[in-house]
Short mmCIF file of all heavy atoms in Angstrom, two decimals:
data_model
loop_
_atom_site.label_atom_id
_atom_site.label_comp_id
_atom_site.label_asym_id
_atom_site.label_seq_id
_atom_site.Cartn_x
_atom_site.Cartn_y
_atom_site.Cartn_z
N ALA A 2 -25.74 15.24 9.15
CA ALA A 2 -25.41 14.68 10.42
C ALA A 2 -25.56 13.10 10.46
O ALA A 2 -26.24 12.61 9.60
CB ALA A 2 -26.48 15.16 11.47
N ALA A 34 -14.00 1.66 -9.33
CA ALA A 34 -13.08 2.48 -8.50
C ALA A 34 -12.56 3.71 -9.29
O ALA A 34 -12.43 4.76 -8.73
CB ALA A 34 -11.79 1.72 -8.12
N PRO A 38 -16.08 9.00 -6.54
CA PRO A 38 -15.88 10.50 -6.27
C PRO A 38 -14.92 10.75 -5.17
O PRO A 38 -14.42 11.96 -5.01
CB PRO A 38 -17.33 10.93 -5.94
CG PRO A 38 -17.99 9.67 -5.41
CD PRO A 38 -17.43 8.61 -6.23
N PRO A 66 2.37 -0.26 -11.07
CA PRO A 66 2.08 -1.60 -11.33
C PRO A 66 3.23 -2.60 -11.05
O PRO A 66 3.13 -3.66 -10.57
CB PRO A 66 1.73 -1.53 -12.87
CG PRO A 66 1.24 -0.21 -13.00
CD PRO A 66 1.98 0.66 -12.18
N LEU A 76 5.20 -10.96 -0.79
CA LEU A 76 4.10 -11.33 0.26
C LEU A 76 3.71 -12.79 0.09
O LEU A 76 3.64 -13.48 1.09
CB LEU A 76 2.91 -10.35 0.20
CG LEU A 76 1.95 -10.45 1.31
CD1 LEU A 76 2.67 -10.17 2.63
CD2 LEU A 76 0.91 -9.38 1.23
N LEU A 145 -5.81 -10.94 4.57
CA LEU A 145 -5.88 -11.97 3.53
C LEU A 145 -7.18 -12.70 3.58
O LEU A 145 -7.50 -13.37 4.59
CB LEU A 145 -4.69 -12.93 3.63
CG LEU A 145 -3.29 -12.37 3.71
CD1 LEU A 145 -2.31 -13.38 4.16
CD2 LEU A 145 -2.82 -11.69 2.45
N SER A 190 -15.68 -8.56 -4.10
CA SER A 190 -14.61 -8.84 -3.12
C SER A 190 -14.87 -8.38 -1.67
O SER A 190 -14.59 -9.04 -0.77
CB SER A 190 -13.27 -8.38 -3.55
OG SER A 190 -13.17 -6.94 -3.51
N HIS A 250 -15.20 2.78 10.95
CA HIS A 250 -14.82 1.90 9.78
C HIS A 250 -14.88 0.40 10.11
O HIS A 250 -14.92 0.14 11.33
CB HIS A 250 -13.40 2.27 9.23
CG HIS A 250 -12.34 2.09 10.32
ND1 HIS A 250 -12.11 2.99 11.37
CD2 HIS A 250 -11.36 1.06 10.52
CE1 HIS A 250 -11.16 2.44 12.16
NE2 HIS A 250 -10.71 1.29 11.60
N PRO A 264 -9.04 -24.65 -15.18
CA PRO A 264 -7.84 -25.43 -14.98
C PRO A 264 -6.51 -24.71 -15.47
O PRO A 264 -5.43 -25.06 -14.79
CB PRO A 264 -8.14 -26.72 -15.77
CG PRO A 264 -9.14 -26.31 -16.82
CD PRO A 264 -9.94 -25.12 -16.13
N MET A 299 12.09 -9.54 16.89
CA MET A 299 11.60 -10.78 17.34
C MET A 299 10.34 -11.13 16.43
O MET A 299 9.73 -11.98 16.75
CB MET A 299 11.15 -10.45 18.78
CG MET A 299 12.37 -10.34 19.80
SD MET A 299 11.78 -10.18 21.45
CE MET A 299 10.84 -8.77 21.45
N GLY A 300 10.05 -10.36 15.45
CA GLY A 300 8.95 -10.63 14.57
C GLY A 300 7.55 -10.32 15.26
O GLY A 300 6.56 -10.93 14.93
N SER A 313 -1.94 -0.27 23.23
CA SER A 313 -3.37 0.06 23.29
C SER A 313 -4.17 -1.23 23.09
O SER A 313 -3.67 -2.27 22.49
CB SER A 313 -3.80 1.05 22.21
OG SER A 313 -3.63 0.60 20.93
#
Side-chain angles (χ1 to χ4, degrees):
L76 194 52
L145 307 168
S190 70
H250 61 282
M299 295 185 294
S313 63

